[in-house]
Amino acid sequence: MILDFLDGSLDGDSWEELCNSCYRMKYQDEHYTEIPAIHGGDAGIEGFTRAGRVYQCYCPEREYTDDELYNHLRDKMTADVNKLTSTKYAVRLKELGVPPIKEWHFVIPQYKDSRILQHAETKRREVINLKNLQPADYSYIDDDFVIVIKQAEDFKVEISRIIRNTITDTKLNFAIYHTAAPDWSKCDSDKANNIKRKVKAVMGNVDETDEDYNSVVNTYIESYIKGLEIFRILRVSYTEVYEDIYMLEQAYKKQVSLKTKMNTNSSINAILFNEILDDFQNKLENQFKYLTTASVMELKIDLISGWLADCSMQFKSR
């Protein structure tokens, strides 16, 4: 989920800012219009489009249990739909030129309980019943009015694009994703042996029982496995971010391959290796301003692990 990659916890202000950017991007063709809360109020919605979509966002104040989260979402939805059907807000909506409302979007980071879907349907029926009883008073509500629950995952393309373009202060954090234990079966013996051989060449042909040697080897094997998974997720779900990283990785990998193959002095393997690490980190930091520092560190070791495993990075033994 896109929420797994967002750095820090969202609050009401940052979520509203992110949602407005998402709607402006996603519904540009429908002339999305944000409604500032000052000078008359926001009419109970954050913004609207000329196609009859309006939305209200909500971000829970803290982590809740599933049941607590449902209760908060239910109460917030109830309060906001009640605003939508009140005389006060009806007047304000008409003053702002909001077209007949076909879709009312309730935009939240996520939901975990299907009861909120049932509650949305209950509130939709209530609105339709009011319109049927008093059609003139509720002319601003479309006959086919629906309530749609949107969550962060529905805007993952927009969110990743917004972050890439640094429109928001929120950054992507891959390091958060790297918390689960790796599946060692994903690194076959050939890849593992490549990593062992090259680490040994860099460290100076140390004994395979050496504690530091084994620690370094294990770190790179784990990073290789974790890198496979993170890049799979990026390739499938966050294409633009993946392409950014892939293009730099491919270009730099060629330089690394040439530089290490042309090194005939095995005594400077460690110096050369550390120079590559530092230079690659600098390039990542300069190109990917939308990644956290921890993400850059993770990305560096994941990619270098891949170079060690697939022979892009060659070091001759002493």
Side-chain angles (χ1 to χ4, degrees):
M1 294 179 65
I2 186 66
L3 289 177
D4 295 332
F5 296 100
L6 299 185
D7 181 46
S9 57
L10 292 167
D11 58 22
D13 290 338
S14 60
W15 179 241
E16 181 179 345
E17 177 189 3
L18 191 58
C19 288
N20 264 315
S21 296
C22 286
Y23 269 76
R24 185 170 287 108
M25 185 176 293
K26 189 177 185 71
Y27 297 109
Q28 184 178 19
D29 292 344
E30 296 180 11
H31 305 291
Y32 169 72
T33 303
E34 178 184 355
I35 303 178
I38 58 175
H39 297 300
D42 60 10
I45 57 175
E46 314 291 356
F48 65 94
T49 80
R50 291 298 168 185
R53 304 179 212 268
V54 304
Y55 94 93
Q56 178 66 37
C57 66
Y58 170 66
C59 183
E61 297 175 355
R62 59 179 177 82
E63 289 289 329
Y64 292 113
T65 65
D66 291 355
D67 197 54
E68 288 173 335
L69 178 61
Y70 163 70
N71 289 332
H72 281 274
L73 296 179
R74 179 201 61 203
D75 292 347
K76 175 62 175 173
M77 179 185 289
T78 297
D80 287 339
V81 172
N82 288 346
K83 288 180 183 178
L84 180 69
T85 57
S86 72
T87 303
K88 172 186 174 182
Y89 284 94
V91 171
R92 183 65 176 150
L93 289 167
K94 293 174 182 177
E95 287 176 346
L96 293 169
V98 178
I101 299 171
K102 296 180 180 180
E103 296 181 7
W104 185 84
H105 294 185
F106 187 52
V107 188
I108 53 180
Q110 64 178 333
Y111 65 89
K112 302 177 181 180
D113 192 322
S114 63
R115 287 180 295 172
I116 193 63
L117 300 175
Q118 295 173 306
H119 186 65
E121 176 59 15
T122 297
K123 299 306 293 182
R124 184 196 70 83
R125 290 176 181 174
E126 289 179 6
V127 173
I128 292 298
N129 287 338
L130 286 172
K131 179 176 175 61
N132 290 337
L133 290 171
Q134 300 170 283
D137 292 341
Y138 293 97
S139 59
Y140 63 97
I141 302 291
D142 190 82
D143 291 339
D144 297 319
F145 172 81
V146 294
I147 293 176
V148 181
I149 299 176
K150 296 279 190 180
Q151 50 187 344
E153 197 67 8
D154 295 315
F155 297 98
K156 63 184 179 184
V157 172
E158 288 77 19
I159 291 174
S160 63
R161 190 171 297 168
I162 288 164
I163 292 174
R164 284 175 64 247
N165 294 331
T166 61
I167 297 173
T168 176
D169 292 333
T170 303
K171 294 188 176 185
L172 291 179
N173 189 359
F174 299 153
I176 294 174
Y177 190 81
H178 283 190
T179 55
D183 180 0
W184 285 75
S185 66
K186 292 184 178 179
C187 184
D188 61 48
S189 58
D190 288 342
K191 300 290 187 184
N193 287 334
N194 284 339
I195 292 174
K196 290 177 182 178
R197 174 171 54 82
K198 294 170 189 177
V199 168
K200 183 181 288 189
V202 170
M203 295 183 69
N205 289 326
V206 295
D207 191 278
E208 291 190 2
T209 61
D210 184 85
E211 184 177 343
D212 290 338
Y213 164 77
N214 283 291
S215 175
V216 172
V217 166
N218 287 337
T219 296
Y220 279 116
I221 290 177
E222 287 183 2
S223 295
Y224 171 74
I225 296 167
K226 291 175 179 178
L228 292 176
E229 178 63 12
I230 193 71
F231 290 122
R232 181 193 66 79
I233 293 172
L234 292 176
R235 184 175 64 253
V236 172
S237 300
Y238 311 103
T239 308
E240 292 179 344
V241 175
Y242 172 79
E243 289 177 351
D244 284 348
I245 296 170
Y246 180 77
M247 289 178 65
L248 175 64
E249 188 265 347
Q250 289 295 300
Y252 199 84
K253 183 167 69 172
K254 291 179 181 178
Q255 294 184 34
V256 168
S257 179
L258 290 172
K259 186 177 290 187
T260 54
K261 286 178 179 178
M262 292 175 67
N263 173 41
T264 58
N265 184 0
S266 59
S267 65
I268 64 168
N269 282 350
I271 295 174
L272 180 59
F273 183 67
N274 287 320
E275 285 178 353
I276 290 172
L277 291 183
D278 292 341
D279 185 59
F280 189 49
Q281 180 171 332
N282 288 334
K283 283 185 168 52
L284 289 172
E285 289 173 342
N286 290 332
Q287 183 159 335
F288 299 104
K289 302 293 187 182
Y290 58 83
L291 297 181
T292 63
T293 300
S295 294
V296 169
M297 301 291 287
E298 286 281 1
L299 192 57
K300 176 187 72 174
I301 194 170
D302 290 349
L303 291 172
I304 287 175
S305 298
W307 298 343
L308 291 171
D310 68 14
C311 293
S312 299
M313 181 179 277
Q314 294 285 3
F315 288 101
K316 297 177 177 66
S317 298
R318 298 178 187 177

mmCIF file of all heavy atoms in Angstrom, residues 15 22 43 46 64 70 82 120 124 164 166-167 178 191 193 207 212 238 240 242 258 270 272 291:
data_model
loop_
_atom_site.group_PDB
_atom_site.id
_atom_site.type_symbol
_atom_site.label_atom_id
_atom_site.label_comp_id
_atom_site.label_asym_id
_atom_site.label_seq_id
_atom_site.Cartn_x
_atom_site.Cartn_y
_atom_site.Cartn_z
ATOM 1 N N TRP A 15 -2.887 15.632 5.269
ATOM 2 C CA TRP A 15 -3.780 14.787 4.470
ATOM 3 C C TRP A 15 -4.661 15.649 3.559
ATOM 4 O O TRP A 15 -4.849 15.334 2.382
ATOM 5 C CB TRP A 15 -4.633 13.921 5.385
ATOM 6 C CG TRP A 15 -5.599 13.023 4.671
ATOM 7 C CD1 TRP A 15 -6.958 13.026 4.781
ATOM 8 C CD2 TRP A 15 -5.287 11.980 3.732
ATOM 9 N NE1 TRP A 15 -7.520 12.063 3.981
ATOM 10 C CE2 TRP A 15 -6.516 11.400 3.321
ATOM 11 C CE3 TRP A 15 -4.102 11.489 3.201
ATOM 12 C CZ2 TRP A 15 -6.581 10.353 2.402
ATOM 13 C CZ3 TRP A 15 -4.162 10.444 2.282
ATOM 14 C CH2 TRP A 15 -5.384 9.893 1.893
ATOM 15 N N CYS A 22 -4.109 15.718 -5.114
ATOM 16 C CA CYS A 22 -4.563 14.534 -5.862
ATOM 17 C C CYS A 22 -5.780 14.854 -6.715
ATOM 18 O O CYS A 22 -5.851 14.471 -7.894
ATOM 19 C CB CYS A 22 -4.897 13.394 -4.898
ATOM 20 S SG CYS A 22 -3.472 12.581 -4.161
ATOM 21 N N ALA A 43 -18.532 25.196 2.817
ATOM 22 C CA ALA A 43 -19.786 24.534 2.435
ATOM 23 C C ALA A 43 -19.789 23.055 2.789
ATOM 24 O O ALA A 43 -20.567 22.280 2.241
ATOM 25 C CB ALA A 43 -20.066 24.712 0.938
ATOM 26 N N GLU A 46 -14.406 19.950 0.626
ATOM 27 C CA GLU A 46 -13.076 20.500 0.352
ATOM 28 C C GLU A 46 -12.995 21.094 -1.053
ATOM 29 O O GLU A 46 -12.229 22.026 -1.299
ATOM 30 C CB GLU A 46 -12.001 19.414 0.486
ATOM 31 C CG GLU A 46 -12.104 18.546 1.723
ATOM 32 C CD GLU A 46 -11.792 19.274 3.009
ATOM 33 O OE1 GLU A 46 -11.408 20.455 2.954
ATOM 34 O OE2 GLU A 46 -11.950 18.666 4.078
ATOM 35 N N TYR A 64 -5.901 3.735 15.686
ATOM 36 C CA TYR A 64 -7.037 3.182 16.413
ATOM 37 C C TYR A 64 -7.146 1.682 16.153
ATOM 38 O O TYR A 64 -6.621 1.172 15.158
ATOM 39 C CB TYR A 64 -8.339 3.843 15.947
ATOM 40 C CG TYR A 64 -8.481 5.303 16.313
ATOM 41 C CD1 TYR A 64 -8.488 6.291 15.324
ATOM 42 C CD2 TYR A 64 -8.635 5.698 17.635
ATOM 43 C CE1 TYR A 64 -8.631 7.634 15.650
ATOM 44 C CE2 TYR A 64 -8.781 7.036 17.974
ATOM 45 C CZ TYR A 64 -8.774 8.001 16.976
ATOM 46 O OH TYR A 64 -8.916 9.326 17.304
ATOM 47 N N TYR A 70 -13.574 2.366 12.793
ATOM 48 C CA TYR A 70 -14.903 2.362 12.176
ATOM 49 C C TYR A 70 -15.812 3.390 12.841
ATOM 50 O O TYR A 70 -16.518 4.151 12.156
ATOM 51 C CB TYR A 70 -15.547 0.977 12.264
ATOM 52 C CG TYR A 70 -17.032 1.035 12.029
ATOM 53 C CD1 TYR A 70 -17.544 1.318 10.762
ATOM 54 C CD2 TYR A 70 -17.929 0.876 13.087
ATOM 55 C CE1 TYR A 70 -18.914 1.424 10.552
ATOM 56 C CE2 TYR A 70 -19.298 0.978 12.882
ATOM 57 C CZ TYR A 70 -19.786 1.252 11.611
ATOM 58 O OH TYR A 70 -21.137 1.368 11.404
ATOM 59 N N ASN A 82 -24.818 15.028 6.989
ATOM 60 C CA ASN A 82 -25.865 15.876 7.576
ATOM 61 C C ASN A 82 -25.661 17.345 7.199
ATOM 62 O O ASN A 82 -26.625 18.085 6.981
ATOM 63 C CB ASN A 82 -25.888 15.718 9.094
ATOM 64 C CG ASN A 82 -26.445 14.371 9.529
ATOM 65 O OD1 ASN A 82 -27.052 13.658 8.722
ATOM 66 N ND2 ASN A 82 -26.244 14.013 10.785
ATOM 67 N N ALA A 120 -22.326 3.952 4.549
ATOM 68 C CA ALA A 120 -22.375 4.867 3.407
ATOM 69 C C ALA A 120 -23.659 4.655 2.604
ATOM 70 O O ALA A 120 -24.298 5.613 2.159
ATOM 71 C CB ALA A 120 -21.151 4.662 2.517
ATOM 72 N N ARG A 124 -26.668 7.290 1.974
ATOM 73 C CA ARG A 124 -27.089 7.601 0.598
ATOM 74 C C ARG A 124 -28.607 7.523 0.480
ATOM 75 O O ARG A 124 -29.250 8.408 -0.115
ATOM 76 C CB ARG A 124 -26.439 6.624 -0.382
ATOM 77 C CG ARG A 124 -26.753 6.925 -1.858
ATOM 78 C CD ARG A 124 -26.425 5.751 -2.759
ATOM 79 N NE ARG A 124 -27.351 4.646 -2.559
ATOM 80 C CZ ARG A 124 -28.554 4.559 -3.128
ATOM 81 N NH1 ARG A 124 -28.994 5.525 -3.922
ATOM 82 N NH2 ARG A 124 -29.335 3.506 -2.902
ATOM 83 N N ARG A 164 7.139 12.842 -6.251
ATOM 84 C CA ARG A 164 8.271 12.924 -7.186
ATOM 85 C C ARG A 164 8.522 14.359 -7.625
ATOM 86 O O ARG A 164 9.663 14.775 -7.816
ATOM 87 C CB ARG A 164 8.008 12.069 -8.429
ATOM 88 C CG ARG A 164 8.173 10.578 -8.217
ATOM 89 C CD ARG A 164 7.790 9.798 -9.458
ATOM 90 N NE ARG A 164 8.672 10.088 -10.573
ATOM 91 C CZ ARG A 164 8.291 10.728 -11.679
ATOM 92 N NH1 ARG A 164 7.046 11.175 -11.805
ATOM 93 N NH2 ARG A 164 9.151 10.930 -12.656
ATOM 94 N N THR A 166 7.918 16.917 -5.870
ATOM 95 C CA THR A 166 8.120 17.690 -4.635
ATOM 96 C C THR A 166 7.078 18.790 -4.457
ATOM 97 O O THR A 166 7.384 19.900 -4.030
ATOM 98 C CB THR A 166 9.548 18.290 -4.574
ATOM 99 O OG1 THR A 166 9.743 19.181 -5.685
ATOM 100 C CG2 THR A 166 10.602 17.202 -4.604
ATOM 101 N N ILE A 167 5.824 18.460 -4.820
ATOM 102 C CA ILE A 167 4.720 19.393 -4.594
ATOM 103 C C ILE A 167 4.339 19.401 -3.115
ATOM 104 O O ILE A 167 3.759 20.349 -2.610
ATOM 105 C CB ILE A 167 3.509 19.004 -5.469
ATOM 106 C CG1 ILE A 167 3.888 19.111 -6.955
ATOM 107 C CG2 ILE A 167 2.301 19.886 -5.187
ATOM 108 C CD1 ILE A 167 2.823 18.594 -7.897
ATOM 109 N N HIS A 178 11.336 -2.260 4.772
ATOM 110 C CA HIS A 178 12.372 -3.258 5.034
ATOM 111 C C HIS A 178 12.398 -3.666 6.500
ATOM 112 O O HIS A 178 13.393 -3.510 7.184
ATOM 113 C CB HIS A 178 13.737 -2.704 4.635
ATOM 114 C CG HIS A 178 13.958 -2.716 3.161
ATOM 115 N ND1 HIS A 178 15.171 -2.451 2.600
ATOM 116 C CD2 HIS A 178 13.132 -2.976 2.128
ATOM 117 C CE1 HIS A 178 15.084 -2.533 1.289
ATOM 118 N NE2 HIS A 178 13.853 -2.842 0.982
ATOM 119 N N LYS A 191 24.053 -16.852 -6.894
ATOM 120 C CA LYS A 191 24.053 -15.445 -6.481
ATOM 121 C C LYS A 191 24.781 -15.287 -5.150
ATOM 122 O O LYS A 191 25.588 -14.364 -4.963
ATOM 123 C CB LYS A 191 22.616 -14.932 -6.348
ATOM 124 C CG LYS A 191 21.783 -15.007 -7.618
ATOM 125 C CD LYS A 191 22.234 -14.015 -8.650
ATOM 126 C CE LYS A 191 21.281 -13.991 -9.838
ATOM 127 N NZ LYS A 191 21.737 -13.101 -10.927
ATOM 128 N N ASN A 193 27.054 -17.220 -3.857
ATOM 129 C CA ASN A 193 28.493 -17.455 -4.035
ATOM 130 C C ASN A 193 29.182 -16.262 -4.694
ATOM 131 O O ASN A 193 30.336 -15.951 -4.384
ATOM 132 C CB ASN A 193 28.718 -18.718 -4.866
ATOM 133 C CG ASN A 193 28.403 -19.985 -4.083
ATOM 134 O OD1 ASN A 193 28.486 -19.994 -2.845
ATOM 135 N ND2 ASN A 193 28.035 -21.053 -4.778
ATOM 136 N N ASP A 207 39.475 -15.282 5.942
ATOM 137 C CA ASP A 207 38.988 -16.638 6.168
ATOM 138 C C ASP A 207 37.464 -16.639 6.218
ATOM 139 O O ASP A 207 36.849 -15.706 6.749
ATOM 140 C CB ASP A 207 39.554 -17.170 7.498
ATOM 141 C CG ASP A 207 39.304 -18.663 7.650
ATOM 142 O OD1 ASP A 207 38.183 -19.016 8.067
ATOM 143 O OD2 ASP A 207 40.211 -19.454 7.330
ATOM 144 N N ASP A 212 33.342 -10.853 10.860
ATOM 145 C CA ASP A 212 32.998 -9.660 10.092
ATOM 146 C C ASP A 212 32.666 -10.013 8.645
ATOM 147 O O ASP A 212 31.730 -9.456 8.053
ATOM 148 C CB ASP A 212 34.151 -8.654 10.121
ATOM 149 C CG ASP A 212 34.331 -8.026 11.491
ATOM 150 O OD1 ASP A 212 33.358 -8.043 12.278
ATOM 151 O OD2 ASP A 212 35.436 -7.532 11.785
ATOM 152 N N TYR A 238 4.082 1.416 -8.803
ATOM 153 C CA TYR A 238 4.567 2.795 -8.803
ATOM 154 C C TYR A 238 5.569 2.954 -9.942
ATOM 155 O O TYR A 238 6.765 3.159 -9.737
ATOM 156 C CB TYR A 238 5.184 3.142 -7.443
ATOM 157 C CG TYR A 238 4.273 2.762 -6.308
ATOM 158 C CD1 TYR A 238 4.510 1.622 -5.545
ATOM 159 C CD2 TYR A 238 3.132 3.510 -6.040
ATOM 160 C CE1 TYR A 238 3.642 1.254 -4.525
ATOM 161 C CE2 TYR A 238 2.266 3.146 -5.027
ATOM 162 C CZ TYR A 238 2.520 2.018 -4.273
ATOM 163 O OH TYR A 238 1.661 1.657 -3.276
ATOM 164 N N GLU A 240 6.366 5.118 -12.285
ATOM 165 C CA GLU A 240 7.216 6.284 -12.523
ATOM 166 C C GLU A 240 8.397 6.321 -11.562
ATOM 167 O O GLU A 240 9.511 6.682 -11.954
ATOM 168 C CB GLU A 240 6.384 7.560 -12.418
ATOM 169 C CG GLU A 240 5.367 7.700 -13.552
ATOM 170 C CD GLU A 240 4.536 8.959 -13.433
ATOM 171 O OE1 GLU A 240 4.533 9.560 -12.338
ATOM 172 O OE2 GLU A 240 3.896 9.351 -14.416
ATOM 173 N N TYR A 242 9.703 3.674 -10.140
ATOM 174 C CA TYR A 242 10.563 2.570 -10.578
ATOM 175 C C TYR A 242 11.419 2.981 -11.772
ATOM 176 O O TYR A 242 12.626 2.700 -11.805
ATOM 177 C CB TYR A 242 9.710 1.359 -10.950
ATOM 178 C CG TYR A 242 10.497 0.244 -11.597
ATOM 179 C CD1 TYR A 242 11.268 -0.624 -10.827
ATOM 180 C CD2 TYR A 242 10.490 0.075 -12.982
ATOM 181 C CE1 TYR A 242 12.010 -1.636 -11.415
ATOM 182 C CE2 TYR A 242 11.229 -0.935 -13.577
ATOM 183 C CZ TYR A 242 11.986 -1.787 -12.797
ATOM 184 O OH TYR A 242 12.723 -2.780 -13.386
ATOM 185 N N LEU A 258 32.675 -1.334 -15.820
ATOM 186 C CA LEU A 258 33.924 -0.966 -16.492
ATOM 187 C C LEU A 258 35.020 -0.630 -15.487
ATOM 188 O O LEU A 258 36.175 -1.052 -15.630
ATOM 189 C CB LEU A 258 33.681 0.230 -17.417
ATOM 190 C CG LEU A 258 32.845 -0.045 -18.673
ATOM 191 C CD1 LEU A 258 32.517 1.262 -19.384
ATOM 192 C CD2 LEU A 258 33.594 -0.984 -19.615
ATOM 193 N N ALA A 270 39.291 -2.522 -1.849
ATOM 194 C CA ALA A 270 38.469 -1.915 -0.793
ATOM 195 C C ALA A 270 38.310 -0.417 -1.021
ATOM 196 O O ALA A 270 37.215 0.142 -0.833
ATOM 197 C CB ALA A 270 39.095 -2.182 0.576
ATOM 198 N N LEU A 272 38.492 1.181 -3.919
ATOM 199 C CA LEU A 272 37.624 1.360 -5.080
ATOM 200 C C LEU A 272 36.164 1.101 -4.720
ATOM 201 O O LEU A 272 35.270 1.850 -5.122
ATOM 202 C CB LEU A 272 38.067 0.420 -6.201
ATOM 203 C CG LEU A 272 37.262 0.469 -7.505
ATOM 204 C CD1 LEU A 272 37.297 1.872 -8.102
ATOM 205 C CD2 LEU A 272 37.803 -0.555 -8.503
ATOM 206 N N LEU A 291 13.078 11.199 -1.733
ATOM 207 C CA LEU A 291 13.312 10.047 -0.867
ATOM 208 C C LEU A 291 13.930 10.505 0.450
ATOM 209 O O LEU A 291 14.731 11.439 0.482
ATOM 210 C CB LEU A 291 14.253 9.046 -1.533
ATOM 211 C CG LEU A 291 13.783 8.380 -2.828
ATOM 212 C CD1 LEU A 291 14.842 7.398 -3.316
ATOM 213 C CD2 LEU A 291 12.457 7.671 -2.628
#
